[in-house]
Amino acid sequence: MNTERTTEQIAGTFLRFFRDRGHHVLPSSPLVRPHDDPVLFTTSGMHPLTPYLTGRPHPEGARLADVQRCLRTTDLDEVGDLTHLTAFQMLGSWSLGDYGSPQSLTWGYELLTGEYGIAPERLHATVFGGDGQVGPDTAALETWRELGVPVERTAADNWWSNGPTGPCGPDSEIFVWTGDGDPTGTPGTDPRWVEVWNHVHMRYRRHEDGSLTDLPRGSVDTGMGLERLVTVLQGERSVYDSDVFALWRRLLPREWGRDDVSRRIVTDHLRSSIALIGDGVRPAATAHGYVLRRLVRRVLTLLWRDEPGATLAGLPRPLVDETLHRFALPPERGPLAREVLLAEERKFAALLERGRRVLSQRRFAGPLGEEDLAYLHDTHGLPRDLVTALRAEQPGR
């Protein structure tokens, strides 16, 4: 594998590859979804393109590609391990009723092996094997066999949907062997096979009764996590060891996190918070602002656990600037991001002090019931998780 290319070069290669094949490169859409979208944030590259995948013509044509900034909160409790991120970037390509799945898979193989230098024998694919409603994806299966890539058929693991209803279809996942020596087993039996790219053949719409009808036109939607691809191409074990986080490893104050897990959480949450602020989000008690507040306060809880006097005023400015640059956000929002973080720090410090005073009252000396927790939240603005943390600080608990 080529371990010398940077994240910028890897993303640039992706865009050039598809631009050379007639794809219009789109700018990244905002992280915050429109008010009529039930989902708060852009969670995948296809999210902003959903109307066009269901039949609406796109103003830029039928072949598209981009690098889309995304944010997911579903895996928030997993952040701190080697792979999960809250904010990340997704490489995507689309055929809106133009070429089909075999062409998309063939180009995927060419990009991974020819441009990124992954040895063909380190690839493995999975395809939809069929279920009670839809037959096996024989087109994808035959394409991989013609390319000489080992392939296995699954059912649930190779069906993509955007929820219980809406556009859906069979997908084909591409895995890369990341272990030492020759590949062994399959993606289903050996975790050293890492999924890097998913190609979805968007052919159907699922209705509330579970039935499927054909979309007006079949489309192809592909998504590949940039940070995960970079980690694989650079031969690293953890996404935090790739060049994506090189500046964070070098500049994040050493006392910000007593162990690797804590430092990963602090790094991820600060990076995600900067991206949210740069995209217009402000801390609040609900919706988008609540997610930002939760991220910042989790960082502060970790910092103050280890260094009670720590302050986000010590966040190096280059980390703010680089984060805005990576997520294609205006650089002039850097000072504002720092201002918002420090304002939230002051609010949280005041809330903690008030919470300690309230919980020291005799009425809260014993076990707290639901009525107590509701009172603390409604009257004093103390959420349940904060009350739990403050109670843990008290002697004898």
Side-chain angles (χ1 to χ4, degrees):
M1 297 184 189
N2 188 332
T3 59
E4 298 178 355
R5 280 179 288 190
T6 65
T7 298
E8 289 76 10
Q9 290 169 330
I10 291 169
T13 295
F14 179 90
L15 295 179
R16 175 188 54 78
F17 181 90
F18 282 100
R19 187 184 289 113
D20 290 347
R21 287 155 181 79
H23 293 66
H24 178 85
V25 174
L26 301 171
S28 178
S29 295
L31 284 173
V32 177
R33 300 301 305 146
H35 65 87
D36 58 346
D37 194 317
V39 179
L40 292 177
F41 301 106
T42 297
T43 59
S44 66
M46 63 76 60
H47 201 156
L49 293 172
T50 301
Y52 308 103
L53 290 167
T54 56
R56 182 189 303 177
H58 195 283
E60 300 298 343
R63 297 187 181 191
L64 307 170
D66 73 3
V67 181
Q68 173 63 47
R69 56 182 179 270
C70 304
L71 188 138
R72 292 179 185 171
T73 59
T74 51
D75 297 326
L76 205 55
D77 291 336
E78 303 299 323
V79 171
D81 64 8
L82 299 178
T83 60
H84 284 89
L85 297 173
T86 307
F88 59 96
Q89 296 185 87
M90 185 74 76
L91 303 171
S93 65
W94 293 272
S95 163
L96 304 178
D98 190 352
Y99 57 83
S101 176
Q103 179 65 83
S104 180
L105 296 176
T106 300
W107 279 341
Y109 176 85
E110 292 175 1
L111 177 62
L112 293 175
T113 60
E115 299 290 339
Y116 291 140
I118 299 175
E121 60 269 20
R122 298 175 75 89
L123 295 180
H124 202 294
T126 59
V127 300
F128 182 67
D131 59 16
Q133 286 183 291
V134 180
D137 189 354
T138 55
L141 183 66
E142 292 172 1
T143 299
W144 287 123
R145 286 174 173 170
E146 290 172 2
L147 292 169
V149 175
V151 58
E152 63 177 313
R153 290 181 282 189
T154 73
D157 290 341
N158 285 104
W159 182 268
W160 188 95
S161 63
N162 196 29
T165 61
C168 57
D171 68 53
S172 182
E173 298 172 350
I174 308 174
F175 295 78
V176 176
W177 175 254
T178 61
D180 296 326
D182 295 332
T184 61
T186 67
T189 62
D190 195 317
R192 289 173 292 181
W193 286 106
V194 173
E195 180 195 345
V196 294
W197 206 353
N198 191 14
H199 291 236
V200 181
H201 192 183
M202 206 78 69
R203 298 166 50 191
Y204 304 102
R205 182 189 298 275
R206 188 177 296 279
H207 301 277
E208 291 186 359
D209 63 358
S211 63
L212 297 174
T213 56
D214 291 337
L215 289 170
R217 65 183 183 197
S219 296
V220 178
D221 157 39
T222 87
M224 178 160 55
L226 175 58
E227 291 86 353
R228 181 181 296 186
L229 175 65
V230 168
T231 303
V232 169
L233 293 179
Q234 293 179 353
E236 301 293 352
R237 176 169 171 263
S238 165
V239 64
Y240 295 95
D241 293 327
S242 70
D243 79 324
V244 174
F245 292 95
L247 199 63
W248 286 86
R249 292 195 302 271
R250 188 163 70 248
L251 297 184
L252 190 71
R254 292 188 179 279
E255 64 272 16
W256 288 16
R258 67 170 60 160
D259 52 41
D260 289 342
V261 171
S262 296
R263 286 183 69 81
R264 290 179 198 136
I265 293 173
V266 168
T267 295
D268 171 87
H269 285 13
L270 281 176
R271 183 172 178 262
S272 302
S273 297
I274 294 165
L276 283 172
I277 296 169
D279 226 336
V281 179
R282 300 293 177 267
T286 59
H288 308 87
Y290 175 74
V291 173
L292 174 57
R293 173 161 286 169
R294 183 181 178 191
L295 291 171
V296 176
R297 292 184 174 184
R298 191 179 187 195
V299 167
L300 292 168
T301 299
L302 288 173
L303 294 190
W304 292 340
R305 179 196 67 185
D306 302 333
E307 294 285 333
T311 171
L312 294 180
L315 178 64
R317 179 172 177 174
L319 296 181
V320 177
D321 295 341
E322 186 207 39
T323 299
L324 294 173
H325 172 72
R326 284 198 183 276
F327 287 103
L329 293 163
E332 62 270 17
R333 294 181 184 173
L336 174 63
R338 293 176 60 84
E339 180 182 318
V340 171
L341 290 172
L342 290 174
E344 185 62 19
E345 177 181 289
R346 290 191 293 270
K347 289 181 180 179
F348 189 46
L351 180 63
L352 287 175
E353 183 58 32
R354 183 168 72 252
R356 292 187 180 102
R357 289 198 307 269
V358 171
L359 290 175
S360 68
Q361 298 174 12
R362 180 175 297 180
R363 65 171 291 186
F364 300 119
L368 299 179
E370 289 299 321
E371 185 176 338
D372 297 315
L373 292 169
Y375 169 80
L376 289 168
H377 180 271
D378 297 341
T379 305
H380 297 284
L382 300 173
R384 180 189 297 260
D385 56 351
L386 181 59
V387 170
T388 302
L390 291 174
R391 292 269 287 183
E393 293 180 356
Q394 297 175 330
R397 296 192 181 280

